[in-house]
Amino acid sequence: MSGLIPNASKSVVFFGNVPSATQDFSIATSGFNRGVLPVIYLGLPLVSGKLSLRDCQPLLLKISSKMETWGNKYISQAGRAQLIRSVIYGLQGHWSDCLFLPKNILKKIQSIMAKFLWKGTQQGPCFYKVAWKHCCLKKTEGGLGFKELLGWNQCVLQWQIWRIIRQEEHSLWLIWISKYLLRRRAFWTMQVPDKCSWGLRKILNARASVLQRVTYRVGRNSCFLLWHDPWCLRSPLLNRYGARAIRLWNLRTWRLLVP
């Protein structure tokens, strides 16, 4: 219809619950290759479940290859620390901003960075002069100012919750959350759905920790849910008084309105 012709060598087709005969006919007609999940987009695997070691292998290989290249040159310890801050944390941050990395992957990355910092190469044993958790302290506290990756993961979870409750962005993911996940439900008081992806389950389970850091300011033109949003003492009224209080409130309000 547009007059454009898709490039068969650059196009792939994915099937879900489609008969084999229909798949073979579609491939023969279009000339496309059959795609295999997970899909790599902008260097990231597009998966709906928990990331496995196989999914994160490209990240680990990229970090290791960078350090092997630097290990062939004479770099001081201060230079290695700067490379970790500017390059390695940039690679890991690109993944963490879009995907929630499992703890075993984050510990593996921290182990690679610690070995490179103290030895300069990944080959052979290494003597660690200071524990990595002490290296992640501020410089004023005697550390090296590195970011603790497990804490970074928690920050990313809380940032995603911040995006959901503000509802000021127009990304496709937030629109899907509003139309599908939050349909006739409130974010702070809803139950975790049984059929829920691993990433969304992590976000919903992190709500309790975020409640201690979020403050609703009530004023003119405020927009919030009376019973479900934590506008009073950082806790939803539904959790404090229960659903029975809502029914009693609605009943009394209805009686007051009746002439």
Side-chain angles (χ1 to χ4, degrees):
M1 295 298 295
S2 64
L4 302 176
I5 300 176
N7 191 337
S9 62
K10 297 182 179 179
S11 304
V12 294
V13 57
F14 298 91
F15 298 98
N17 196 24
V18 178
S20 300
T22 305
Q23 296 182 25
D24 297 337
F25 175 78
S26 301
I27 293 174
T29 303
S30 63
F32 297 161
N33 297 320
R34 186 189 302 269
V36 179
L37 297 174
V39 183
I40 303 299
Y41 180 71
L42 296 179
L44 301 176
L46 299 184
V47 295
S48 59
K50 182 179 180 180
L51 289 176
S52 62
L53 179 61
R54 183 186 64 179
D55 298 328
C56 299
Q57 199 65 31
L59 174 62
L60 298 176
L61 291 176
K62 185 175 293 186
I63 293 176
S64 299
S65 62
K66 290 282 186 184
M67 293 185 175
E68 288 177 1
T69 303
W70 298 332
N72 297 330
K73 304 176 182 179
Y74 178 76
I75 303 176
S76 63
Q77 193 173 50
R80 293 196 294 267
Q82 184 60 34
L83 288 173
I84 291 175
R85 291 191 192 94
S86 58
V87 180
I88 303 304
Y89 274 109
L91 294 175
Q92 177 268 331
H94 175 60
W95 280 62
S96 294
D97 287 345
C98 304
L99 304 170
F100 302 136
L101 297 178
K103 290 184 179 180
N104 60 333
I105 301 298
L106 296 176
K107 291 180 179 179
K108 180 70 175 177
I109 296 175
Q110 289 184 165
S111 176
I112 295 174
M113 292 191 297
K115 194 170 186 178
F116 174 73
L117 175 66
W118 297 114
K119 188 178 182 181
T121 179
Q122 298 295 312
Q123 305 298 328
C126 176
F127 175 71
Y128 301 93
K129 300 179 182 179
V130 181
W132 185 256
K133 63 179 181 180
H134 298 306
C135 294
C136 294
L137 296 175
K138 298 180 181 180
K139 293 183 178 181
T140 56
E141 299 175 356
L144 296 177
F146 292 139
K147 294 183 176 68
E148 205 274 322
L149 296 186
L150 297 178
W152 189 323
N153 232 26
Q154 294 299 318
C155 292
V156 172
L157 279 171
Q158 296 175 10
W159 178 63
Q160 297 296 349
I161 293 178
W162 175 251
R163 295 177 63 198
I164 293 174
I165 62 177
R166 290 188 67 188
Q167 298 181 356
E168 294 182 357
E169 300 181 31
H170 299 285
S171 69
L172 183 61
W173 180 72
L174 292 177
I175 294 174
W176 181 87
I177 291 290
S178 177
K179 299 296 183 181
Y180 178 77
L181 181 67
L182 300 181
R183 183 178 55 183
R184 298 180 180 179
R185 286 179 288 192
F187 175 77
W188 292 109
T189 56
M190 65 175 291
Q191 299 293 329
V192 179
D194 295 332
K195 295 181 179 180
C196 183
S197 66
W198 180 79
L200 285 176
R201 190 177 299 275
K202 291 280 289 184
I203 291 176
L204 294 176
N205 289 335
R207 289 175 294 179
S209 61
V210 177
L211 279 176
Q212 307 302 321
R213 298 174 174 86
V214 173
T215 302
Y216 276 69
R217 294 183 178 178
V218 181
R220 182 175 298 178
N221 299 326
S222 297
C223 181
F224 60 91
L225 299 177
L226 177 65
W227 293 99
H228 301 274
D229 285 344
W231 62 273
C232 181
L233 301 178
R234 296 183 177 180
S235 177
L237 296 180
L238 179 63
N239 294 344
R240 296 171 60 185
Y241 301 108
R244 185 171 179 269
I246 300 179
R247 292 192 295 267
L248 292 175
W249 176 272
N250 292 335
L251 181 60
R252 292 178 180 176
T253 305
W254 180 79
R255 288 178 177 175
L256 290 175
L257 294 176
V258 174

